[in-house]
């Protein structure tokens, strides 16, 4: 099966495939080829070039041709941070926040993560799978072509395994790559034997001695994450969990510095994590330490927007010479949307990222944050053909400009037309 896209107004983020991530001033550069063609063979990008150098079609066998006049072609968004396996929405907590309560106050009343954990305990694997697949389909329509999904609404051995099995089933049934992350350390659960909050010590033992070994044995997780935050897990606990996870070959990720400065970035660096995510409260010392590491700083504009948190210092991070990734945090509590187009727009409007920086953050750098930058995140010969064709738009800056709209018209995953809006 061959696919040729011709007359592309601009082929965006086209490179030679050698870049794993872009940092600092490089993030302002978005390599584009105007008036271009792109050839796909089977599931891979076969070649591309400028129309003026197009040699014509010699073999029409099994060839589909798409005319992209006035349209752009981009690599699909990579979303390296989601919690999209869940059941039940939490709009009543949203209304509570509108009426003045904070995320922390709602959590103390039994809302928040424990609310979703309660709902998840009652759901079957089939229900969780069906609702998650709807969300996957929804985000593919918005241009997402690779996704990471976390557990963390289970908080018991059985329920965490249930979530991770659902994620495994999603991996097997969706054409886009899925990375699974074990987030047992998302909150301390209610102890079924007492009806009260479990002691931290008891939950840490359960997590380290029972959950991690079992999950590793069943090969259910690629990564391990910890919510490093006041009232959740401390820096020392984060280091302990990630150190154990590393022994099983699971790299770390950290929910870091979201609601306060809690040491998550330092913990992530110390454990050689793949990424540290959120970063609203990241400080100058953290930024300096990140420069000596390979950890990908990742911002989640949806959660910052929805919880009305202070802005992450995204400009400062890039201006310090660091890379930056953008992801959605799609989850029922702090970001009930996985629309990467909106995430990019919010980052440009409010954090003052340029469109080039935001698109780099949501493609090549987010691919890095899920271990996929060799195969995804840019348009390069030999990379996976996960791309989208936009509607008729003037240029790539129109994507963040046209906020809350969907610029995507056609999505191609593994060389197959998945959807034609
Ligand atoms: O990334 N911060 C912790 N976890 C999620 C929120 C989860 C929830 O509220 O259900 C987040 O924002
Ligand atoms: Fe999250």
């Amino acid at each position: 099966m061959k696919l040729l896209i011709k007359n592309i107004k601009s082929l965006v983020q086209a490179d030679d495939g050698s870049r794993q991530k872009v940092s600092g001033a490089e993030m302002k550069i978005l390599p584009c080829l105007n008036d271009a063609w792109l050839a796909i063979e089977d599931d891979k990008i076969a070649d591309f070039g400028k129309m003026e150098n197009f040699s014509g079609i010699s073999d029409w066998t099994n060839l589909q041709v798409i005319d992209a006049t006035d349209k752009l072609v981009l690599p699909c968004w990579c979303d390296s941070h989601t919690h999209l396996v869940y059941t039940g929405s939490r709009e009543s907590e949203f209304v509570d926040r509108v009426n003045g309560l904070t995320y922390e106050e709602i959590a103390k009343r039994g809302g928040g993560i424990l609310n979703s954990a309660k709902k998840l305990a009652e759901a079957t694997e089939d229900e969780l799978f069906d609702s998650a697949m709807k969300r996957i389909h929804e985000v593919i329509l918005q241009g997402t072509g690779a996704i990471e999904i976390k557990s963390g609404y289970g908080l018991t051995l059985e329920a965490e395994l249930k979530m991770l099995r659902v994620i495994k089933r999603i991996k097997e049934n969706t054409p886009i790559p899925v990375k699974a992350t074990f987030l047992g350390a998302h909150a301390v659960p209610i102890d079924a034997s007492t009806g009260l909050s479990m002691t931290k010590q008891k939950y840490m033992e359960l997590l380290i001695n029972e959950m991690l070994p079992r999950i590793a044995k069943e090969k259910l997780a690629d990564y391990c994450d910890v919510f490093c935050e006041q009232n959740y897990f401390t820096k020392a606990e984060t280091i302990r969990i990630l150190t154990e996870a590393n022994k099983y070959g699971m790299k770390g990720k950290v929910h870091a510095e979201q609601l306060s400065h809690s040491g998550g970035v330092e913990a992530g660096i110390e454990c050689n994590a793949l990424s540290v995510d959120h970063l609203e409260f990241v400080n100058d010392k953290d930024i300096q330490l990140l420069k000596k590491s390979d950890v990908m700083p990742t911002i989640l504009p949806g959660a910052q927007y929805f919880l009305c948190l202070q802005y992450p210092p995204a400009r400062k991070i890039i201006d310090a010479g660091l890379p930056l990734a953008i992801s959605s945090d799609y989850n029922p509590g702090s970001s009930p949307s996985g629309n990467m187009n909106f995430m990019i727009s919010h980052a440009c409007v409010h954090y003052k990222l340029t469109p080039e920086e935001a698109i780099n953050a949501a493609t090549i750098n987010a691919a890095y944050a899920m271990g996929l930058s060799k195969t995804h995140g840019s348009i390069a010969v030999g990379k996976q053909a996960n791309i989208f064709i936009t509607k008729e738009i003037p240029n790539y800056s129109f994507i963040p400009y046209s906020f809350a709209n969907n610029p995507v018209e056609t999505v191609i995953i593994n060389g197959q037309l998945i959807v034609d809006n």
Side-chain angles (χ1 to χ4, degrees):
M1 177 67 196
K2 286 181 287 181
L3 193 62
L4 172 71
I5 309 172
K6 59 176 196 177
N7 298 325
I8 302 166
K9 185 169 193 177
S10 187
L11 184 64
V12 179
Q13 191 66 307
D15 67 8
D16 65 3
S18 63
R19 300 174 311 156
Q20 303 265 310
K21 57 181 173 182
V22 284
S23 310
E26 278 172 354
M27 287 192 69
K28 287 201 165 55
I29 303 165
L30 188 61
C32 294
L33 212 57
N34 294 336
D35 198 19
W37 57 272
L38 173 71
I40 292 169
E41 259 183 58
D42 299 323
D43 57 343
K44 301 278 190 310
I45 292 166
D47 207 356
F48 57 82
K50 284 184 79 81
M51 282 309 287
E52 63 196 32
N53 301 324
F54 183 55
S55 53
I57 299 162
S58 47
D59 180 6
W60 284 87
T61 334
N62 282 333
L63 177 72
Q64 185 175 1
V65 181
I66 298 178
D67 189 322
T69 300
D70 291 328
K71 299 170 184 176
L72 316 186
V73 172
L74 284 89
C76 279
W77 309 128
C78 295
D79 192 347
S80 65
H81 183 139
T82 83
H83 311 243
L84 64 68
V85 172
Y86 62 83
T87 184
S89 49
R90 306 216 312 256
E91 64 285 341
S92 65
E93 294 178 13
F94 160 66
V95 175
D96 287 342
R97 278 206 316 283
V98 170
N99 286 319
L101 290 184
T102 65
Y103 182 81
E104 292 95 321
E105 284 164 343
I106 292 165
K108 282 204 181 104
R109 293 168 152 203
I113 295 162
L114 294 185
N115 186 0
S116 283
K118 204 166 142 200
K119 294 180 204 265
L120 186 126
E122 286 149 21
T124 65
E125 284 191 26
D126 282 348
E127 281 161 17
L128 291 171
F129 174 76
D130 290 346
S131 61
M133 285 300 284
K134 281 191 191 138
R135 293 179 197 115
I136 294 268
H137 189 63
E138 163 196 292
V139 297
I140 291 175
L141 296 178
Q142 295 161 343
T144 297
I147 205 157
E148 180 262 15
I149 312 174
K150 301 174 196 296
S151 69
Y153 292 126
L155 309 179
T156 63
L157 174 64
E158 275 319 311
E160 283 295 309
L161 288 172
K162 175 163 81 173
M163 282 193 84
L164 288 164
R165 285 192 194 115
V166 169
I167 299 172
K168 186 173 177 214
R169 208 167 135 196
I170 296 170
K171 272 193 195 197
E172 292 161 357
N173 285 280
T174 182
I176 67 171
V178 174
K179 293 283 182 175
T181 300
F182 168 53
L183 177 58
H186 199 192
V188 179
I190 302 295
D191 192 332
S193 60
T194 62
L196 302 170
S197 182
M198 193 179 280
T199 64
K200 185 65 86 54
Q201 201 198 349
K202 188 171 172 190
Y203 190 56
M204 285 289 288
E205 297 315 315
L206 175 67
L207 206 146
I208 286 169
N209 299 330
E210 294 184 42
M211 292 185 180
L212 262 174
R214 179 76 182 273
I215 288 159
K217 190 163 166 242
E218 292 195 26
K219 295 190 173 48
L220 286 171
D222 300 294
Y223 306 122
C224 178
D225 197 341
V226 179
F227 186 17
C228 182
E229 187 62 63
Q230 278 170 33
N231 304 323
Y232 294 85
F233 296 86
T234 64
K235 178 183 166 188
E237 287 158 354
T238 304
I239 292 173
R240 187 164 165 228
I241 294 165
L242 295 187
T243 305
E244 288 300 319
N246 283 342
K247 292 183 192 162
Y248 296 105
M250 289 177 217
K251 271 200 121 183
K253 284 178 158 276
V254 187
H255 280 68
E257 332 300 358
Q258 181 189 17
L259 308 172
S260 67
H261 188 271
S262 303
V265 167
E266 285 191 38
I269 294 170
E270 190 169 326
C271 300
N272 195 22
L274 191 53
S275 69
V276 287
D277 303 16
H278 282 291
L279 307 181
E280 282 78 356
F281 286 83
V282 75
N283 66 24
D284 291 351
K285 187 179 162 215
D286 297 327
I287 291 177
Q288 288 313 312
L289 289 172
L290 278 165
K291 287 179 72 172
K292 296 189 206 103
S293 80
D294 290 324
V295 180
M296 178 60 71
T298 302
I299 53 167
L300 306 169
Q304 180 279 316
Y305 165 82
F306 198 61
L307 298 186
C308 301
L309 302 174
Q310 66 180 47
Y311 295 163
R315 266 272 44 93
K316 218 176 187 180
I317 293 171
I318 296 176
D319 293 344
L322 284 166
L324 187 75
I326 291 178
S327 287
S328 78
D329 201 15
Y330 197 175
N331 77 75
S334 68
S335 185
S337 165
N339 186 340
M340 288 292 285
N341 306 290
F342 172 78
M343 306 303 153
I344 289 164
S345 180
H346 183 66
C348 291
V349 174
H350 291 279
Y351 315 156
K352 306 301 173 201
L353 262 60
T354 65
E356 294 81 7
E357 288 170 331
I359 293 171
N360 273 315
T363 54
I364 187 84
N365 284 357
Y368 177 94
M370 52 195 299
L372 287 177
S373 52
K374 288 199 176 118
T375 50
H376 296 76
S378 74
I379 292 180
V381 173
K383 277 197 173 185
Q384 209 61 20
N386 285 17
I387 60 156
F388 65 82
I389 308 173
T390 66
K391 297 171 181 161
E392 291 185 6
I393 63 173
N395 51 53
Y396 59 69
S397 298
F398 190 87
I399 297 173
Y401 159 82
S402 180
F403 79 94
N405 292 322
N406 185 6
V408 177
E409 185 174 81
T410 306
V411 182
I412 294 163
I413 302 288
N414 302 328
Q416 305 282 321
L417 245 73
I418 287 292
V419 62
D420 211 338
N421 285 344

